[in-house]
Amino acid sequence: MLTDEYVKKVYAQVEKRDGDQPEFLQAVREVFESLQPVVEKHPEYEANGVLERLVEPERVVKFRVAWVDDSGKVQVNRGYRVQFNSAIGPYKGGLRFHPTVNEGVIKFLGFEQILKNSLTTLPMGGGKGGSDFDPKGKSDAEVMRFCQAFMTELSRHIGQFTDVPAGDINVGAREIGYLFGQYKRIRDEYSGVLTGKGLEFGGSLARTEATGYGLCYYTAEALRVLRNDSFEGKTVVISGSGNVAIFATEKAQALGAKVVTASDSNGYVYDPNGIQLDVVKDIKLGHRGRIKEYAERVPGAEYHEGCKGVWTVPCDIALPCATQNEIDGESAEALVKNGCKVVCEGANMPSTPEAIEVYQKNGLLYGPAKAANAGGVAVSGLEMSQNSYRLSWTFEETDAKLKSIMESIVANSLAAAKEYGEEGDLMAGANIAGFVKVADAMVAQGVL
Ligand code: GLU
């Protein structure tokens, strides 16, 4: 509930201006609910218009991306880059290529990114971008031409000291390679302008694994501190089968858990014997196939159409790693009913407000996305450092840094929650800890 007058006033303004952007409103509202005790204790935030400025992107770039498909036909997509907040560092955040992308979706992601990047302890501002381009069914050559057209415009707005994009849904190693190549060609400059690059051209070891591994490091640490427990012997439900889900499965298994599901936008597979990750990797990373194929290849595994059913599979821990709002109130009830005690988010904003209410009412350990999935952008920050030094660290060194960052996110979130009377609340803690650093920097730098 919004009760603080200042917070209410700013939220009403956002509703009025951006009422047609439901995902953005949802992200802002959740953060604002957590920030009420903070702005009450710190009148300087209101005096400096911090919330009003926080919800208004510094810059929104929206552009045409025209390209020619394999049959010679002209295609036109829409491109976006939202440069949301640069108080603590250059804009940083991924690019998403998906038919559902619009300005509101990119704004919600960019807004989340401000606080997420702040939580990593590294100097990165918040940004996000992408396009409504759908790479499904497109040839490599079409993806390349699209990426080149997209970067031709984007290149005017980014740079290693200005804005450093990376991947998100449907933007992985292949797309980053094409985007990097085009930037280099246009600018005649070899710099760390993108992260998630190939290892041959400035990428960081452990960046591919970082979001999924980081999610498990975060979950393991929260379990240890708040429940004196671990992944050992637990049954885990994971949604998705992309980069985040694959490496979350890998690390959860390494930590002694049994992962029993994987999904994509068509349906999910349930494997009571535990997911065979080499098969998922072969399907998804090997030939960009559908998850249905898993059940055709692995005896004992079942395939079910539709992705919501994955939340009815009994488990101890759920790690949503697919997309926004994939768990609604009803799915959250099903999780609780079937024994789930922990939900930590690998995707961005995968739980609706109703789902979060169900977690809270039932005392689940809930690790919100902006904290739990910060490992990806954290290693992106480490990639930027390595590019600046012009050297590369070993896998072990980078992975150890990632683990310690995820552990400090748990500690800093819990400390912030305690300071503002929300002891043990990882969501309030993440919102508060992420915000305070950005807000103090905004106050120090004057009205911009
Ligand atoms: N797209 C990822 C995220 O949601 C990573 C962003 C990055 O590495 O810049 O945090």
Side-chain angles (χ1 to χ4, degrees):
M1 256 253 287
L2 299 181
T3 50
D4 177 84
E5 285 309 318
Y6 172 46
V7 172
K8 271 185 3 201
K9 187 189 82 189
V10 180
Y11 187 73
Q13 181 72 258
V14 183
E15 263 186 322
K16 199 168 136 206
R17 279 195 181 139
D18 299 321
D20 57 342
Q21 299 174 351
E23 294 88 356
F24 178 56
L25 290 179
Q26 182 184 336
V28 169
R29 191 178 175 105
E30 179 212 289
V31 169
F32 273 20
E33 287 188 359
S34 302
L35 294 183
Q36 299 188 104
V38 184
V39 299
E40 272 156 27
K41 192 162 156 194
H42 292 275
E44 72 272 22
Y45 296 153
E46 180 171 359
N48 286 277
V50 169
L51 291 186
E52 294 89 322
R53 291 190 284 139
L54 190 73
V55 295
E56 195 59 26
E58 290 174 19
R59 191 173 299 105
V60 176
V61 188
K62 185 170 163 187
F63 52 95
R64 179 175 72 205
V65 188
W67 55 284
V68 179
D69 69 17
D70 286 349
S71 69
K73 247 185 89 198
V74 174
Q75 302 284 345
V76 176
N77 288 100
R78 216 169 248 185
Y80 300 91
R81 186 71 184 166
V82 174
Q83 299 181 326
F84 223 120
N85 191 296
S86 61
I88 63 167
Y91 311 108
K92 179 85 196 87
L95 300 170
R96 173 178 293 192
F97 293 167
H98 198 270
T100 56
V101 162
N102 58 41
E103 194 171 323
V105 167
I106 298 297
K107 276 179 66 185
F108 114 67
L109 290 162
F111 183 74
E112 289 281 293
Q113 203 81 42
I114 303 169
L115 304 184
K116 182 195 308 197
N117 293 1
S118 165
L119 283 168
T120 65
T121 71
L122 303 173
M124 299 180 287
K128 202 88 188 189
S131 173
D132 59 1
F133 173 72
D134 186 1
K136 213 191 274 176
K138 303 284 191 303
S139 69
D140 271 357
E142 288 177 322
V143 171
M144 181 182 79
R145 287 196 296 277
F146 173 81
C147 287
Q148 291 178 341
F150 182 85
M151 181 52 88
T152 301
E153 173 60 31
L154 187 68
S155 66
R156 308 162 185 267
H157 310 288
I158 61 175
Q160 61 169 329
F161 301 118
T162 324
D163 183 356
V164 182
D168 195 81
I169 293 175
N170 288 334
V171 178
R174 174 181 63 170
E175 291 74 19
I176 295 292
Y178 294 148
L179 292 163
F180 181 80
Q182 183 72 350
Y183 183 86
K184 179 167 65 75
R185 171 161 78 175
I186 292 172
R187 303 289 285 256
D188 200 12
E189 173 191 302
Y190 207 110
S191 68
V193 65
L194 292 160
T195 60
K197 298 185 290 298
L199 297 178
E200 309 79 8
F201 52 97
S204 173
L205 284 161
R207 175 63 188 88
T208 307
E209 294 83 355
T211 314
Y213 278 22
L215 170 64
C216 291
Y217 294 145
Y218 174 94
T219 308
E221 179 66 1
L223 272 169
R224 186 185 72 78
V225 175
L226 294 171
R227 299 281 193 273
N228 192 26
D229 206 346
S230 76
F231 268 106
E232 192 63 51
K234 300 290 190 297
T235 299
V236 180
V237 158
I238 293 183
S239 62
S241 50
N243 171 268
V244 182
I246 285 175
F247 293 102
T249 301
E250 185 164 287
K251 185 53 77 176
Q253 290 177 339
L255 294 173
K258 180 156 103 174
V259 179
V260 292
T261 57
S263 71
D264 62 20
S265 55
N266 293 100
Y268 74 96
V269 288
Y270 169 59
D271 187 342
N273 301 313
I275 289 287
Q276 293 180 25
L277 194 56
D278 51 337
V279 177
V280 178
K281 281 186 180 174
D282 183 52
I283 296 168
K284 288 291 168 178
L285 307 177
H287 56 273
R288 300 177 193 271
R290 306 307 296 168
I291 203 67
K292 187 177 183 184
E293 194 185 317
Y294 182 94
E296 289 154 11
R297 286 170 55 173
V298 179
E302 302 163 10
Y303 175 72
H304 299 269
E305 284 290 334
C307 14
K308 246 188 101 169
V310 74
W311 310 118
T312 62
V313 174
C315 66
D316 304 300
I317 299 172
L319 304 176
C321 295
T323 194
Q324 67 264 17
N325 292 328
E326 56 174 314
I327 308 184
D328 58 14
E330 191 191 342
S331 296
E333 296 279 8
L335 279 170
V336 171
K337 194 175 126 233
N338 291 312
C340 178
K341 301 270 186 298
V342 178
V343 178
C344 287
E345 300 178 330
N348 287 310
M349 204 169 76
S351 305
T352 65
E354 295 75 29
I356 297 172
E357 239 182 87
V358 173
Y359 308 151
Q360 287 170 335
K361 254 198 343 247
N362 291 279
L364 267 66
L365 190 166
Y366 169 53
K370 63 173 72 70
N373 77 23
V377 75
V379 175
S380 277
L382 301 179
E383 183 171 329
M384 290 167 74
S385 304
Q386 293 168 79
N387 291 166
S388 294
Y389 278 118
R390 300 191 187 286
L391 49 72
S392 42
W393 301 330
T394 63
F395 185 93
E396 288 70 27
E397 199 176 346
T398 316
D399 186 45
K401 286 187 164 74
L402 166 65
K403 186 160 182 275
S404 99
I405 288 172
M406 298 317 291
E407 290 170 358
S408 65
I409 293 176
V410 173
N412 295 340
S413 300
L414 290 174
K418 189 167 176 193
E419 188 181 341
Y420 289 95
E422 306 284 348
E423 197 155 352
D425 185 335
L426 288 166
M427 178 177 77
N431 286 334
I432 296 168
F435 169 76
V436 168
K437 181 170 154 192
V438 174
D440 289 346
M442 287 172 76
V443 171
Q445 292 168 23
V447 177
L448 304 170

